[in-house]
Amino acid sequence: MHIAAESSSHVARRISRSEVLNVIRSEKLISRSKLAQMVSVSRATVSGIVAELLQTGVLEEVGQGASTGGRRPIKLRYRPESRVAVGVVLFHNQIQAALTDMEGNPLSYLEIPIHETTPESMLCRMKEAAQHILQDVPRDRVLGVGVGTPGLVDFETGVIEISVSKGWLEGGIRVREFLERELELPVYVANRSRVAALGEYQVGVGRGVSNLIYLFLGQGIVAGVVIDGHLYSGSGSGSGEIGHVSVAPDGPLCDCGNRGCLEVYATEAANVARARSVAREDGGSLLQKAVDGQLERLTIEHVIEIARQGDASALAVLTEAGTKVGFAVSILIDLFAPEMVIIGGPIGSNAGEILLQPVVKEARLRTLPRSLKGTRIVIGELGTKAVAIGAAVLAINHTPVDAVFGLQDVASASS
């Protein structure tokens, strides 16, 4: 009976800490008296929680406010920089890492080129990236590490079940287990395309928006869905596979076995293949000249840069891809009615308005007017950094409140 009472008391205290901390994070600068008015817990409890936050450095006293008839209140300032999180992301040719404060604001950033392709080598490089960006940070300030990887990821276990783009078809890659053991920090793992939605939501173009969809266009195509401020994972962490929605039922065969999938038309490989085909038909295209006629050297970066120069062939390639993306966006808008659809990933971020125009045009053509009325379609603000920042936000969002207060063994927080 005594154990149950202690457990109930601890839960109540944790709920109180969470409520007080949420108000402080929202207000930034607040007095004890105003804080007590804005929460449902007693003044004595507020006083105790504030004392804890002052002791751990999450709060600091910064002078006196205006008097309302009695003693002038002491102002409390929230210090998001007192705690940090790390985001680590695996791309096809590099690992990116970001260090952010407790609100997801980036403090530092790094990129490490990679050449290996085995799961073991990738895990080691991700570990090195996290260690490097944390080398001057006291461990008691670190909330955790968020990781964005390609493929189908089980969030509960932190295991990559399959990644077609990396050729990891057998799965069973225990990302969380390895990194928690090596880093001695809590680790949270999700698909990289989905966590990018959190980056744009928290500190990018989606600030102030409650419901948004981030469309990652790169080697693959995945939608990250944020509903009421929370990343929607779906059953088995498998939501957002818009890349395998058929946008042309009689179209080319996709690797998944379906026909006419969006990925057949709008991934990096699809755009480059289409650009090579167009260049062969148009010998005067800048696509030919950019690689001295050696079309096997053509990359998505070439296609986008040449389109910026106004080349008709390159523009046609991105317009075709954007039209297919717009078709898929219309489906997402009709299903979710989000406030915002963000076009991002390496292709969306780099192509910008060139790609956005056909996306918007096709979405307007195919979406119910009532659904489209409340939705903005925009290019992401953070570029590819949205993924690493979003991975850090993933860690922040899943950190138990007691860990913020320094009252829990942080290394076991994600268990």
Side-chain angles (χ1 to χ4, degrees), residues 219-345:
Q219 283 185 301
I221 300 175
V222 178
V225 182
V226 173
I227 300 175
D228 294 331
H230 300 284
L231 186 65
Y232 177 73
S233 297
S235 175
S237 305
S239 72
E241 291 293 337
I242 192 69
H244 293 290
V245 167
S246 180
V247 294
D250 297 323
L253 187 67
C254 179
D255 290 340
C256 73
N258 194 8
R259 285 193 174 275
C261 291
L262 180 60
E263 290 201 358
V264 173
Y265 297 98
T267 60
E268 291 180 2
N271 277 289
V272 171
R274 179 60 179 151
R276 288 170 180 163
S277 176
V278 169
R280 291 188 186 100
E281 298 172 2
D282 181 6
S285 170
L286 292 178
L287 292 168
Q288 284 269 11
K289 297 177 181 177
V291 292
D292 297 323
Q294 300 176 48
L295 292 177
E296 69 277 4
R297 292 171 44 206
L298 196 67
T299 66
I300 187 63
E301 289 78 16
H302 286 126
V303 177
I304 293 172
E305 178 56 35
I306 292 166
R308 287 199 190 101
Q309 297 174 31
D311 180 78
S313 295
L315 285 169
V317 169
L318 293 180
T319 297
E320 181 179 338
T323 299
K324 290 294 193 292
V325 172
F327 184 99
V329 166
S330 72
I331 296 172
L332 291 170
I333 294 174
D334 280 335
L335 283 174
F336 291 97
E339 297 166 69
M340 181 179 288
V341 174
I342 303 171
I343 308 300

Side-chain angles (χ1 to χ4, degrees), residues 47-365:
S47 180
I49 293 172
V50 166
E52 291 174 340
L53 291 172
L54 286 169
Q55 183 177 2
T56 56
V58 177
L59 278 180
E60 66 176 349
E61 295 180 336
V62 291
Q64 296 179 322
S67 172
T68 57
R71 188 169 57 184
R72 295 175 66 188
I74 295 176
K75 289 288 188 179
L76 304 168
R77 185 181 78 85
Y78 168 49
R79 299 180 63 246
E81 69 277 11
S82 65
R83 298 287 185 272
V84 298
V86 178
V88 179
V89 180
L90 172 61
F91 286 101
H92 71 283
N93 61 352
Q94 65 176 328
I95 288 172
Q96 299 179 359
L99 183 72
T100 78
D101 67 15
M102 201 158 58
E103 294 302 312
N105 298 301
L107 304 173
S108 60
Y109 187 82
L110 65 84
E111 297 178 354
I112 299 177
I114 54 174
H115 307 287
E116 310 92 336
T117 59
T118 66
E120 295 77 15
S121 63
M122 297 296 183
L123 289 173
C124 288
R125 297 294 275 169
M126 284 192 282
K127 176 196 73 173
E128 292 167 6
Q131 289 174 331
H132 184 77
I133 208 164
L134 284 171
Q135 61 184 348
D136 297 322
V137 181
R139 192 51 59 99
D140 61 359
R141 289 182 57 205
V142 185
L143 296 176
V145 179
V147 179
T149 73
L152 182 60
V153 182
D154 186 328
F155 179 77
E156 296 301 322
T157 63
V159 172
I160 300 176
E161 296 184 348
I162 186 172
S163 175
V164 176
S165 66
K166 301 301 294 184
W168 301 339
L169 304 182
E170 296 182 3
I173 303 167
R174 301 181 178 278
V175 179
R176 191 179 84 182
E177 180 182 300
F178 173 84
L179 291 177
E180 284 191 336
R181 182 177 67 247
E182 296 294 320
L183 300 174
E184 297 183 329
L185 288 166
V187 175
Y188 308 88
V189 188
N191 177 275
R192 64 188 179 188
S193 309
R194 296 185 181 95
V195 297
L198 287 176
E200 290 288 355
Y201 166 80
Q202 188 74 15
V203 296
V205 71
R207 289 186 304 272
V209 173
S210 297
N211 303 285
L212 63 80
I213 295 175
Y214 179 97
L215 200 59
F216 181 99
L217 306 176
Q219 283 185 301
I221 300 175
V222 178
V225 182
V226 173
I227 300 175
D228 294 331
H230 300 284
L231 186 65
Y232 177 73
S233 297
S235 175
S237 305
S239 72
E241 291 293 337
I242 192 69
H244 293 290
V245 167
S246 180
V247 294
D250 297 323
L253 187 67
C254 179
D255 290 340
C256 73
N258 194 8
R259 285 193 174 275
C261 291
L262 180 60
E263 290 201 358
V264 173
Y265 297 98
T267 60
E268 291 180 2
N271 277 289
V272 171
R274 179 60 179 151
R276 288 170 180 163
S277 176
V278 169
R280 291 188 186 100
E281 298 172 2
D282 181 6
S285 170
L286 292 178
L287 292 168
Q288 284 269 11
K289 297 177 181 177
V291 292
D292 297 323
Q294 300 176 48
L295 292 177
E296 69 277 4
R297 292 171 44 206
L298 196 67
T299 66
I300 187 63
E301 289 78 16
H302 286 126
V303 177
I304 293 172
E305 178 56 35
I306 292 166
R308 287 199 190 101
Q309 297 174 31
D311 180 78
S313 295
L315 285 169
V317 169
L318 293 180
T319 297
E320 181 179 338
T323 299
K324 290 294 193 292
V325 172
F327 184 99
V329 166
S330 72
I331 296 172
L332 291 170
I333 294 174
D334 280 335
L335 283 174
F336 291 97
E339 297 166 69
M340 181 179 288
V341 174
I342 303 171
I343 308 300
I347 299 176
S349 301
N350 294 330
E353 291 294 325
I354 295 173
L355 186 71
L356 184 64
Q357 290 179 15
V359 171
V360 172
K361 181 179 179 180
E362 187 70 9
R364 285 177 175 168
L365 179 66

